[in-house]
Amino acid sequence: MPTDLAEDLIADDWAVVREFLPKGWEEQARKTGAWRRSGRKLDGPDALLHILMIHLAAGYSLQETASRAKQAGLGAVSAVSIFKRLQASEEWLRWLAAAERALLVRRLPKLKRRVRAVDATTVSEPGSTGADWRLHYAINLTSLQCDFFELTDVHGGETWRRVPVQPGDVVLGDRIYANPVGVAHVLRAAGDVLVRLNPHTLPLYDSEGVRVNVFKAVRRLKVGQHLDLPTWVKSANGEIFTGRLVALRRSAAATRHEQRRLLRKASKQKKKVSAQGLELARYLLIWTSLSAAHPARDITEIYRWRWQIELGFKRMKSILGLGHLPKTDPVSARAWLHGKILTSLLVERMIQTANTFSPWGY
């Protein structure tokens, strides 16, 4: 559904939007082939991006976009022409989104540790019976701003190996990231991890090299009580990584909620949840490489911040319409998705600027 953002883009505020674009964006339109001479139909890359943003940011159909572009004096282009230009703009939009993301990172305050949440979400095309694309995303939890993204097809697996890690980074992930390969990627880069433990994919060992029975380790916990147990992870090549199993016994209500979630997920996948799986739902299980200088209670509190990335995906899907992909060929689909990511990042930078400038002027 179109949003009020469309009116802002068509009216005088487009000049403000343009101020947030990265340097060299017009030249990149020529380099990537998004812009080619078109007679009198369009007056340069500025008009082209303006029209594309009416379609991408506001959610108007191609036909409605063509009509509004003509009314705004941006050019007399047809819906078919806009579609073809969107296809040709795939690499340009990808470059714009990546450059916008880099601008956000450079503007972040310098902190001793950067805490990052990594996750992925899927996007489906009309009529599809499953997911078609996967957006891999990381946000800095101090600023709630994106510091990495990558777009793949649905076969692009979720792994920390996709994410560049800097020394000192603290990386958070859900169960799907709980595996020795991903943990090794972060720790070799001198980062630290907090990951929701899946005992089957991330086996833990004690100081003697014996595998830890997680169920046995946590079953005596009382509601609200923490466990902090030194454990080790082994990589495929025999490397040993030191860490801690941190566990928290959930309340009865929270346990029922988690058990219902597991049963719903298993039902959709036509699988069964084991009795031990339902029993482990009573506990929040985290494996972390952070030292004991961070108490168990702090570890569980830090992990709670990971929900911010879930909320970010919900905003993108509900406000920007990321969850429904109205293109049916791969080229235009990727262009559309990169345009949506660009829009999201532009909004982040505008909010960031609004928080630091006086409210009565740009």
Side-chain angles (χ1 to χ4, degrees), residues 73-87:
L74 297 173
V77 287
S78 66
V80 173
S81 176
I82 295 174
F83 179 74
K84 290 180 178 179
R85 288 176 181 276
L86 177 63
Q87 288 181 313

Side-chain angles (χ1 to χ4, degrees), residues 66 90 116 120 122 172 207 214-215 292 310 313-314 323 326 332 335 345:
E90 176 195 348
R116 309 167 71 196
T122 55
L172 279 58
S207 58
V214 175
F215 176 73
E310 302 280 357
F313 285 147
K314 288 181 184 297
S332 61
L345 295 171

Side-chain angles (χ1 to χ4, degrees), residues 61-217:
S61 68
L62 292 168
Q63 189 62 52
E64 179 70 8
T65 299
S67 175
R68 288 178 175 269
K70 185 177 180 180
Q71 292 174 5
L74 297 173
V77 287
S78 66
V80 173
S81 176
I82 295 174
F83 179 74
K84 290 180 178 179
R85 288 176 181 276
L86 177 63
Q87 288 181 313
S89 299
E90 176 195 348
E91 178 58 23
W92 185 36
L93 291 169
R94 187 208 62 77
W95 181 91
L96 280 165
E100 198 67 34
R101 193 274 308 166
L103 286 171
L104 274 169
V105 172
R106 284 201 298 269
R107 290 171 60 89
L108 296 178
K110 293 181 179 180
L111 301 173
K112 293 181 179 179
R113 301 297 295 269
R114 179 171 61 155
V115 182
R116 309 167 71 196
V118 178
D119 207 345
T121 189
T122 55
V123 186
S124 300
E125 296 177 359
S128 175
T129 57
D132 299 290
W133 303 91
R134 180 168 282 121
L135 173 62
H136 308 269
Y137 212 72
I139 63 172
N140 183 316
L141 289 173
T142 302
S143 61
L144 300 182
Q145 293 167 345
C146 170
D147 64 26
F148 167 83
F149 73 87
E150 182 181 358
L151 182 65
T152 68
D153 63 23
V154 71
H155 302 293
E158 295 181 50
T159 170
W160 276 335
R161 287 179 294 171
R162 295 186 181 280
V163 184
V165 178
Q166 297 178 6
D169 281 355
V170 180
V171 184
L172 279 58
D174 205 354
R175 288 187 185 91
I176 199 165
Y177 297 93
N179 57 75
V181 175
V183 168
H185 168 74
V186 177
L187 299 187
R188 285 172 187 157
D192 280 301
V193 304
L194 279 88
V195 65
R196 185 85 168 271
L197 181 67
N198 182 334
H200 302 294
T201 60
L202 187 65
L204 304 180
Y205 299 87
D206 63 18
S207 58
E208 303 297 323
V210 178
R211 185 163 178 176
V212 174
N213 184 325
V214 175
F215 176 73
K216 185 176 180 180

